[in-house]
Amino acid sequence: HVPRVGEANPPPVISGGASRGENVVVVNINTATASELETLPGVGEVTAQRIIEYREANGPFETIEEIQEVTGIGPKTFEGMRDMIAVGP
C-alpha cells in the first residue's frame, strides 16, 4: 500500500511473531495513542491511560520490559503483548 498525499502511513506489519504465523502489528509504546494501546491484549481504556500517564511522568520507555512498571501490567499481561510492542523515538 502506498499512502496518498495527506494519508498517514500505517504502522509496520511484521510477519510471523507468535508460532501461529499470523501478521502482528507492532505498537510503539512511546508514541501510541490510547486507542492504539487498547489494541494490545490485556489493555483496556484504564490501562491505556495509565501507560500514557506513566510515559508523561517518567519519559519514554527505554525497554519493552519497562511497561511492567505500569500498574495493571504484570508478567502474564506482558508476555501476551511482548511480540506486539516496541520502543522508539
Side-chain angles (χ1 to χ4, degrees):
H1 171 74
V2 177
R4 294 186 177 135
V5 175
E7 182 181 6
N9 288 328
V13 175
I14 297 176
S15 235
S19 61
R20 297 181 298 253
E22 57 193 44
N23 288 337
V24 177
V25 176
V26 178
V27 175
N28 182 335
I29 57 176
N30 285 329
T31 60
T33 64
S35 60
E36 290 169 333
L37 291 167
E38 289 175 35
T39 65
L40 298 170
V43 177
E45 186 177 332
V46 171
T47 304
Q49 188 57 43
R50 287 180 184 155
I51 294 169
I52 291 169
E53 289 170 359
Y54 180 90
R55 152 178 110 190
E56 289 172 351
N58 300 290
F61 294 96
E62 294 188 24
T63 65
I64 62 171
E65 291 80 10
E66 190 180 343
I67 199 168
Q68 294 177 87
E69 299 294 321
V70 176
T71 303
I73 300 180
K76 185 175 179 179
T77 303
F78 174 70
E79 285 304 317
M81 67 173 67
R82 173 187 287 273
D83 294 335
M84 300 175 71
I85 61 175
V87 294

